[in-house]
Amino acid sequence: MIGIRNLTMTYRTAHGEHQAVKGVSVDIPDGQFYTLLGPSGCGKTTILRCVAGLEQPDGGEIIIGGRTVFSSEKGIWVPPHDRNIGMVFQSYAIWPHMTVFENVAFPLRHKKPKPNRAEIKDRVAKALALVHLAGLEDRPAPYLSGGQQQRLALARALVSEPRVLLLDEPLSNLDAKLREEMRFEIRQVTERLGVTTLFVTHEQIEALTMSDVMAVMNDGLIIQQGAPAEIYAKPTGAFVADFIGRSNFLAGKITAVSGTNGSSVASVATPIGALNARTDGKSKIGDSVTIAIRPENVVLVSPSAPADANEFAGTVDAVVYVGNLLDCVIAVGSEKVKLQLQPSAAVDRGATVRLSFPLEHCLALPQ
Amino acid sequence: MATLAAEQPVEPPRVRGFDFVPGGLLGLTIFATGAVLVLVSIVLWLSFTEGTPGDPVLVYTLDHYRAMFGDGFTYRVLWNTVLFSAVTTTTAFALALPMAWLMERTDFPGKPIVFTMMTLALLIPSFAVSLGWVFLLHPKIGLINQGLMHVFNLENAPFDVSNIFSMGVIEGMNLTPLAFIMTAVVLRSMDPALEEAAAISGAKPWQAVLRVTLRVLMPGLLAAAIYIATIGFAAFDVPAILGLTRRIFTFSTYVFWVLTPSEGAPEYGNVATLSVIMVVLAAFLSWAYRRAQRQAPKYAVVTGKAYRPRISKLGKWRSLAILFVVGYFIVSQLLPLIMLAWASLLPYLQTPSLQALESITTRNFVNLPKELVWRAGTNTAILMVLVPTITLILSVAVSWVVLRTKIKGRGWFDFLAFLPLAIPAIVFSVAALLLALFVLRRYIPIYGTIWILVLVYSVARLSYGTRMTNSALIQIHPELEESAKVCGASTGNILRRILLPLMGPSLAYAWIWIALLTYRELTLPVVISTSSNLPFSYLVWGFVQASAYGSASAAALLMLCLMLPFLLLYWFVARRAGMIAPR
Ligand SMILES: Nc1ncnc2c1ncn2[C@@H]1O[C@H](COP(=O)(O)OP(=O)(O)OP(=O)(O)O)[C@@H](O)[C@H]1O
Ligand SMILES: [Mg+2]
């Protein structure tokens, strides 16, 4: 397992200081696939490099497989070559002066106790077979395609059977099709080996499809963590709601709260009128909130049906055909609402329509 | 023409007269590359002929080659040169590699200062530094030797500045800045993740450096080492000032020696033959360099990301590292130059003491032959203005013809313009002498005039100039010119309005760099200068040859002081061009 407690890390350069990680705690049980997701520059790579021992944090504690490898309090610092980890770099970092075999054998040759030659050969072959590179042993490493280099990097990271595997945007240098293929392959391999994996990406599709648990980061902090489905369905803040998928946001003030803890409903005064939304139960009357609702959850209702709560009239502002969907923008009062429809839905620019915001999909997020 | 067309808009641009600018550029290119060809050919030609050139009957013969290859001393000189070059390269890298690593990979303080010092150290005339070493280590007048002999009651001087090994070490220290800059570039080109991946794989730091970093950098470092070895092979200043009086030769000084016999006329055929041998060996080294350089990018792992290497903290090693770098500057540059200043202020050399301080005098300066100094200064000034200007005009012409036309044989122009890099300076000098004495003779009497210097300096710098103009021109997208052409601009207009302004910063940088190299150049004038066209460096050389060390050091010091404002100017230009910069 990997344990990170209250990690802080500051880069000091000639141009000043920059705190890249501002107190992050993570617990990854054995065998879990854990993803750090966040916008560029939020500190994902930094956390990974701290776990690997490539950067020295300012404070906190890092535990790998029950062994404390860093602790500012106890003054512990284990250098990277003693941490028994596997890592795939964004640039793959394949050693260009070695063959495929030598690249994969390298970690075994520096392992204690050092396996004998026959065993090294055997384990390299197994590792290469795992990533479908069997037979390429004697190829000089620079003569591999991008996808093959990526697999080679994975084989090299796994060959010494490390307790944890660190992946830093391993797919970002691949083209779209290969990326999809490798998403499944990486997941399959880590699952088969049962290795604890910390994965870093800024692609939400990778995080959502691959992770057991994911964390959304912003500006050096973890904003929310949980299973992918939970994060998608119940973002706890506007940042997550916007970063994962797309959302419509309406700012407002709570005028009334009803219901019990956990499933309470708030009436919110918004620029387009009163709207009912679910809250976490801690919100009080008078709180400023942001209501988030995903475009695919907004529904068009017949204009002739009797008016109901959470329904508003609007005019169609824009319609864009994107293959399997229609992307619409509807003007409701001063606000623009994004909405997704089936291509068969007949909507025209300028038409007057009626929108419904189903209560179960409206989340009132504290500001 | 273009202005005419602009004034008479009724005339359609197509009817404009013949555009003679391309022809002019081609003419300049042919002149420049032709000069290289002629200089090389004349040496080759004379090495195969017998008798005084200019004789009505010329005999073609292999006698000179037989004589040179039959002479055991030639092999001795060859061995000396190889040894000298090897010691030079080893010393330069032993110092440069750790310093480059400190600058690129650690939190060494004050990096910009070190980079500036390194660049400036590149320009300090190495004959001035060598002269300082004479005063430090000469068996009879060297301060350190005399001091040690005095203190320990030694019979003989403990250090010998004139042997190949000491000369190689001194040359190596002079070339350390160049090796440093080349190594830093190589280090910078490596993806640091390669080293980090080794650490993750369980390799200890020294194992990672040994098995990954050095191996990956090897092709680049090898290319740099061959380059330094080539320079060491052709070096003249250090072996001339330290070794010539004791008849310890490398190829450069041997060529000079054979050309200036103490009695009788020089054997020009033998000089030419030695020059040819030197060119062949130097050409081999350049070939090896080009090969190694082509190998280097094979290992370059391009990720498109700017590399941000892990900066190691020096911690308790910090003071040791600072001591190393500061120590290098003190020992290799400051100490010899201080000795030079000290020697210039004394009537004869003495160990620094209160008593010696009392005998300080400006006599060495006052007694310098004023008229000669003035002439040398004027000549140097003329060279510093003309040489960079002519070199760059020729270089722009060559680059334009090579990169922007489809003329047949433009590859040859490029090759010939690159050739001077492979030709040792002393050979250029010899070639120009032979050309002036035996070919141009009375038809174009340039021997003894400043023009022979202008010619040989400009041709010798052509390879540097064209490398600069080539890379500047490559960065200018051809569409910028094509769009001007579509607007009806002539080649001259395109050159004046578009290309030259865009190449401006590169040209300014190259101009001042060539001017400074001209100022410090000793090898090129050493064979062809006379008392009428001598530059400043030759003046110092003349004093050294006459063993007038007091005057030599005074003149050298004067030269260094006059150089200061130019160094300052260079520093400003180079900094604006981004040429002096740590990461
Ligand atoms: N060596 C360094 N020196 C100074 N600042 C750094 C250094 N490395 C990273 N930073 C800064 O720290 C912050 C976090 O960087 P980090 O590399 O962890 O981002 P990231 O989340 O991995 O981004 P990306 O998705 O673009 O890779 C950034 O603002 C970055 O500019
Ligand atoms: Mg990153």
Side-chain angles (χ1 to χ4, degrees):
Chain A
M1 49 73 90
I2 304 174
I4 301 174
R5 305 279 136 68
N6 232 336
L7 189 74
T8 53
M9 160 83 206
T10 307
Y11 286 110
R12 292 179 177 85
T13 62
H15 312 291
E17 299 193 345
H18 176 79
Q19 191 171 22
V21 181
K22 303 177 174 170
V24 163
S25 297
V26 169
D27 262 302
I28 311 174
D30 273 331
Q32 193 175 72
F33 195 109
Y34 188 97
T35 301
L36 288 174
L37 173 71
S40 186
C42 70
K44 312 176 293 283
T45 299
T46 307
I47 293 177
L48 204 70
R49 290 173 64 84
C50 288
V51 174
L54 297 171
E55 303 285 354
Q56 194 150 7
D58 306 333
E61 203 173 48
I62 300 172
I63 299 156
I64 298 176
R67 174 178 174 216
T68 306
V69 292
F70 168 75
S71 167
S72 55
E73 239 161 67
K74 298 181 202 141
I76 295 174
W77 166 254
V78 177
H81 62 264
D82 277 339
R83 291 197 179 187
N84 189 18
I85 46 183
M87 179 163 175
V88 176
F89 291 80
Q90 191 173 4
S91 64
Y92 309 147
I94 298 295
W95 298 306
H97 58 301
M98 298 181 186
T99 61
V100 168
F101 178 87
E102 285 160 355
N103 261 285
V104 182
F106 192 94
L108 295 176
R109 297 210 164 111
H110 291 87
K111 204 176 156 75
K112 273 173 278 179
K114 190 175 151 185
N116 63 33
R117 289 183 66 164
E119 194 183 341
I120 288 180
K121 211 169 161 207
D122 188 48
R123 285 175 67 174
V124 169
K126 270 194 195 137
L128 287 176
L130 191 69
V131 297
H132 308 296
L133 280 185
L136 291 182
E137 278 89 344
D138 297 324
R139 180 88 57 95
Y143 299 127
L144 292 180
S145 71
Q148 286 171 327
Q149 289 197 9
Q150 213 276 326
R151 288 165 209 255
L152 174 56
L154 191 60
R156 186 179 65 186
L158 292 170
V159 71
S160 64
E161 291 169 13
R163 277 175 299 193
V164 308
L165 177 64
L166 309 176
L167 305 168
D168 188 4
E169 309 207 18
L171 305 178
S172 64
N173 285 337
L174 302 178
D175 62 58
K177 199 143 169 52
L178 201 55
R179 211 182 277 195
E180 200 169 319
E181 217 173 283
M182 285 309 292
R183 280 210 301 264
F184 287 106
E185 211 161 294
I186 289 179
R187 193 60 238 258
Q188 227 174 21
V189 167
T190 55
E191 212 158 285
R192 181 143 23 120
L193 300 178
V195 60
T196 314
T197 307
L198 179 53
F199 177 77
V200 159
T201 183
H202 62 246
E203 293 280 346
Q204 51 167 313
I205 179 88
E206 288 171 13
L208 291 171
T209 55
M210 295 169 79
S211 330
D212 294 321
V213 174
M214 62 186 273
V216 181
M217 284 189 65
N218 188 29
D219 197 18
L221 287 169
I222 289 183
I223 308 294
Q224 187 181 359
Q225 64 179 330
E230 179 190 330
I231 291 203
Y232 191 85
K234 293 188 198 138
T236 54
F239 176 80
V240 177
D242 192 36
F243 190 72
I244 308 286
R246 295 191 307 159
S247 274
N248 293 301
F249 293 111
L250 292 165
K253 260 198 171 63
I254 296 180
T255 53
V257 181
S258 63
T260 51
N261 267 5
S263 63
S264 52
V265 173
S267 283
V268 182
T270 73
I272 59 170
L275 196 59
N276 293 330
R278 298 187 307 144
T279 80
D280 55 5
K282 281 180 230 127
S283 308
K284 308 178 302 292
I285 293 173
D287 281 358
S288 289
V289 291
T290 301
I291 295 176
I293 178 161
R294 298 200 179 277
E296 67 265 30
N297 293 332
V298 182
V299 194
L300 271 190
V301 291
S302 154
S304 53
D308 206 344
N310 280 12
E311 284 187 9
F312 303 92
T315 43
V316 179
D317 215 32
V319 185
V320 180
Y321 174 66
V322 285
N324 53 348
L325 293 167
L326 282 183
D327 258 343
C328 307
V329 179
I330 314 272
V332 181
S334 57
E335 301 285 321
K336 306 266 188 216
V337 176
K338 287 172 280 189
L339 144 81
Q340 273 175 4
L341 298 172
Q342 292 304 313
S344 54
V347 281
D348 295 313
R349 266 196 74 181
T352 305
V353 291
R354 209 168 163 76
L355 297 179
S356 168
F357 296 167
L359 172 64
E360 65 269 31
H361 293 303
C362 290
L363 297 175
L365 306 169
Q367 266 181 352
Chain B
M1 279 170 300
T3 40
L4 255 181
E7 281 161 14
Q8 303 170 348
V10 265
E11 217 170 12
R14 241 175 299 131
V15 201
R16 232 177 25 203
F18 178 65
D19 190 356
F20 65 77
V21 173
L25 291 174
L26 185 62
L28 287 174
T29 303
I30 291 172
F31 170 76
T33 52
V36 176
L37 201 60
V38 165
L39 286 175
V40 175
S41 312
I42 190 133
V43 174
L44 205 60
W45 179 55
L46 278 174
S47 74
F48 287 108
T49 58
E50 185 58 272
T52 326
D55 276 358
V57 239
L58 262 178
V59 186
Y60 286 88
T61 168
L62 285 173
D63 277 356
H64 302 301
Y65 286 91
R66 270 186 219 115
M68 287 299 106
F69 282 114
D71 184 359
F73 199 68
T74 310
Y75 298 98
R76 172 87 178 277
V77 171
L78 180 63
W79 170 241
N80 275 352
T81 311
V82 170
L83 200 64
F84 175 79
S85 184
V87 174
T88 297
T89 311
T90 313
T91 309
F93 276 88
L95 293 168
L97 208 57
M99 282 199 264
W101 183 78
L102 284 174
M103 294 311 128
E104 294 294 321
R105 294 295 190 83
T106 71
D107 60 346
F108 192 91
K111 288 177 190 173
I113 301 173
V114 177
F115 272 81
T116 306
M117 298 279 289
M118 281 292 185
T119 317
L120 296 185
L122 222 62
L123 288 166
I124 292 178
S126 56
F127 62 83
V129 178
S130 310
L131 209 49
W133 281 106
V134 172
F135 300 133
L136 279 170
L137 287 180
H138 193 279
K140 295 220 180 61
I141 58 171
L143 198 67
I144 294 179
N145 274 328
Q146 288 300 310
L148 287 175
M149 281 162 75
H150 189 75
V151 172
F152 296 106
N153 254 331
L154 300 175
E155 286 280 311
N156 293 314
F159 292 110
D160 182 3
V161 75
S162 298
N163 68 27
I164 284 294
F165 188 78
S166 336
M167 292 197 296
V169 170
I170 289 170
E171 179 74 38
M173 287 197 290
N174 286 347
L175 288 178
T176 300
L178 186 59
F180 167 83
I181 288 166
M182 296 181 91
T183 314
V185 170
V186 172
L187 265 178
R188 221 173 269 188
S189 71
M190 180 183 151
D191 180 357
L194 293 176
E195 198 176 300
E196 291 169 355
I200 299 287
S201 302
K204 297 193 181 70
W206 64 267
Q207 290 172 322
V209 167
L210 222 59
R211 291 186 191 154
V212 173
T213 314
L214 276 183
R215 299 282 172 87
V216 172
L217 297 181
M218 197 44 86
L221 291 180
L222 192 68
I226 295 174
Y227 191 81
I228 299 286
T230 314
I231 296 181
F233 176 81
F236 181 81
D237 294 27
V238 171
I241 290 193
L242 299 178
L244 210 52
T245 47
R246 300 272 304 281
R247 307 207 175 174
I248 294 172
F249 299 113
T250 64
F251 249 111
S252 287
T253 50
Y254 189 51
V255 169
F256 175 77
W257 179 256
V258 175
L259 190 62
T260 52
S262 42
E263 54 206 49
E267 265 292 346
Y268 288 113
N270 288 348
V271 174
T273 305
L274 284 175
S275 301
V276 170
I277 298 174
M278 224 181 149
V279 169
V280 169
L281 293 173
F284 169 73
L285 282 171
S286 308
W287 171 80
Y289 170 67
R290 291 271 281 222
R291 225 185 109 91
Q293 212 186 18
R294 228 168 291 146
Q295 295 277 316
K298 202 176 75 181
Y299 284 178
V301 180
V302 181
T303 59
K305 247 188 168 179
Y307 297 136
R308 204 162 40 189
R310 190 153 52 116
I311 298 295
S312 314
K313 296 200 173 70
L314 283 169
K316 60 180 180 207
W317 300 103
R318 192 178 155 110
S319 20
L320 200 69
I322 294 175
L323 192 71
F324 172 60
V325 175
V326 172
Y328 161 75
F329 283 114
I330 289 179
V331 171
S332 77
Q333 313 284 333
L334 203 59
L335 204 58
L337 292 182
I338 286 176
M339 273 317 289
L340 188 73
W342 175 246
S344 73
L345 291 172
L346 291 175
Y348 58 94
L349 196 66
Q350 317 162 51
T351 7
S353 66
L354 270 182
Q355 192 195 346
L357 215 57
E358 276 165 18
S359 62
I360 271 185
T361 164
T362 54
R363 218 176 64 194
N364 285 329
F365 292 92
V366 177
N367 285 355
L368 284 176
K370 304 237 160 33
E371 205 241 334
L372 207 58
V373 169
W374 180 250
R375 204 183 310 150
T378 319
N379 284 336
T380 298
I382 294 174
L383 287 174
M384 281 179 78
V385 173
L386 286 186
V387 171
T389 311
I390 292 176
T391 306
L392 287 179
I393 289 174
L394 295 178
S395 300
V396 168
V398 172
S399 292
W400 187 82
V401 168
V402 169
L403 292 172
R404 291 294 201 259
T405 68
K406 301 266 182 294
I407 283 181
K408 256 196 208 140
R410 59 187 191 281
W412 281 101
F413 291 142
D414 195 38
F415 172 75
L416 283 173
F418 181 74
L419 202 56
L421 195 72
I423 300 176
I426 191 81
V427 174
F428 261 120
S429 202
V430 166
L433 178 75
L434 299 178
L435 179 75
L437 287 185
F438 303 126
V439 181
L440 302 180
R441 280 184 287 176
R442 262 154 290 157
Y443 313 118
I444 313 174
I446 59 169
Y447 185 72
T449 68
I450 192 88
W451 299 109
I452 187 170
L453 292 180
V454 171
L455 173 80
V456 72
Y457 275 55
S458 305
V459 173
R461 296 281 170 256
L462 196 61
S463 42
Y464 173 77
T466 48
R467 290 321 99 179
M468 289 298 280
T469 46
N470 271 358
S471 64
L473 199 54
I474 282 171
Q475 282 168 22
I476 299 172
H477 200 286
E479 282 180 5
L480 292 177
E481 292 156 67
E482 283 158 9
S483 61
K485 216 180 275 175
V486 170
C487 300
S490 67
T491 311
N493 264 338
I494 292 175
L495 206 62
R496 209 175 61 239
R497 299 258 170 81
I498 308 217
L499 289 183
L500 291 182
L502 286 173
M503 291 165 81
S506 305
L507 290 180
Y509 175 81
W511 195 95
I512 181 131
W513 181 254
I514 295 175
L516 284 163
L517 289 185
T518 302
Y519 190 78
R520 80 191 284 277
E521 180 64 53
L522 173 63
T523 321
L524 289 175
V526 85
V527 175
I528 37 177
S529 275
T530 64
S531 59
S532 56
N533 66 354
L534 84 173
F536 219 121
S537 53
Y538 189 80
L539 185 68
V540 180
W541 171 246
F543 289 131
V544 172
Q545 284 240 294
S547 293
Y549 283 110
S551 308
S553 47
L557 196 72
L558 191 61
M559 201 176 154
L560 278 175
C561 294
L562 290 175
M563 197 182 185
L564 282 179
F566 296 110
L567 284 181
L568 217 61
L569 179 68
Y570 167 75
W571 185 69
F572 276 118
V573 173
R575 231 178 39 147
R576 289 193 57 180
M579 302 298 274
I580 308 180
R583 184 188 300 282

